[in-house]
Amino acid sequence: KNLATSLQAEYPQDKLHVLVTKSNSNSFTYDGIELGGERTANEVEEEIKKLEEGGNKITKISIVGYSLGGLVARYVVGLLYSKGYFDRIQPVNFTTLPLEVLGARTLSTSGRQLFTVDSFRDTGRPLLTILADPNSVFIRGLAQFKHRTLYSNIVNDRSVVYYTSCITYKDPFVNIDAVD
């Protein structure tokens, strides 16, 4: 909500529409990446339809997801891509960032997916391996975005530690005193 408020204050409403999805709030986050992704994709599709029916032309889309929402966002990208949305709406920014709230979810569908002890549909493979498969709609959809950004905490995040949440060529721990 803070990010949405900041963006809306910076850009005129006729140039930028911010959707803060609500379909996965509260205990719905325990339902897993697949179901959460489907709910979110439906919410995004409904919002696009509503805006277009109101006379707005949607030309670009950016997606931000934090913590588990980053994985849900990856799933949403695959669904939107497979439905042809990126043929008419330019994907611009895809951003994920960590948040310290996943520890309690280890026994839920989301927890099983995070620990890759699930089986995605009839593939016999964990969902995260499907999300990372270069031939999947999830990677092909993600590749459509002009900018793809992953943020990761290097200190004070005990649930999603740096080495499991970030991809980088630099090691920030070489001189930790230089980190602000």
Side-chain angles (χ1 to χ4, degrees):
K1 288 181 181 177
N2 291 336
L3 179 58
T5 301
S6 297
L7 287 169
Q8 289 167 330
E10 187 72 24
Y11 298 95
Q13 192 171 358
D14 64 332
K15 298 290 181 196
L16 176 71
H17 178 77
V18 178
L19 171 64
V20 178
T21 61
K22 297 170 183 64
S23 57
N24 289 312
S25 34
N26 301 319
S27 62
F28 287 119
T29 59
Y30 293 99
D31 290 343
I33 297 163
E34 179 183 5
L35 188 54
E38 289 171 2
R39 278 194 297 256
T40 302
N42 288 337
E43 194 173 347
V44 169
E45 291 176 79
E46 288 173 19
E47 190 75 6
I48 290 171
K49 181 180 178 183
K50 183 178 106 183
L51 288 167
E52 290 177 338
E53 287 174 350
N56 297 293
K57 179 163 174 53
I58 309 303
T59 59
K60 297 178 182 180
I61 188 169
S62 292
I63 297 176
V64 177
Y66 62 87
S67 196
L68 179 65
L71 294 171
V72 169
R74 289 269 306 276
Y75 198 91
V76 169
V77 164
L79 293 178
L80 295 177
Y81 171 78
S82 67
K83 292 180 178 182
Y85 276 87
F86 299 160
D87 294 337
R88 61 183 184 93
I89 300 173
Q90 178 190 6
V92 180
N93 298 298
F94 180 85
T95 305
T96 64
L97 19 115
L99 187 68
E100 280 190 72
V101 296
L102 292 177
R105 297 195 173 116
T106 57
L107 297 177
S108 66
T109 301
S110 301
R112 287 191 301 277
Q113 290 170 335
L114 288 170
F115 287 98
T116 64
V117 293
D118 64 307
S119 181
F120 179 66
R121 297 190 180 173
D122 60 354
T123 65
R125 295 170 51 195
L127 176 58
L128 292 183
T129 66
I130 304 295
L131 287 175
D133 187 327
N135 297 314
S136 73
V137 295
F138 306 106
I139 292 294
R140 291 194 322 257
L142 192 58
Q144 300 293 303
F145 282 82
K146 183 176 181 180
H147 305 284
R148 295 171 301 275
T149 308
L150 168 71
Y151 290 94
S152 188
N153 295 322
I154 63 168
V155 295
N156 299 327
D157 194 336
R158 291 169 187 84
S159 296
V160 185
V161 294
Y162 177 79
Y163 290 109
T164 65
S165 65
C166 192
I167 303 166
T168 182
Y169 293 110
K170 296 181 181 179
D171 184 349
F173 297 103
V174 170
N175 185 2
I176 195 72
D177 295 329
V179 175
D180 184 6

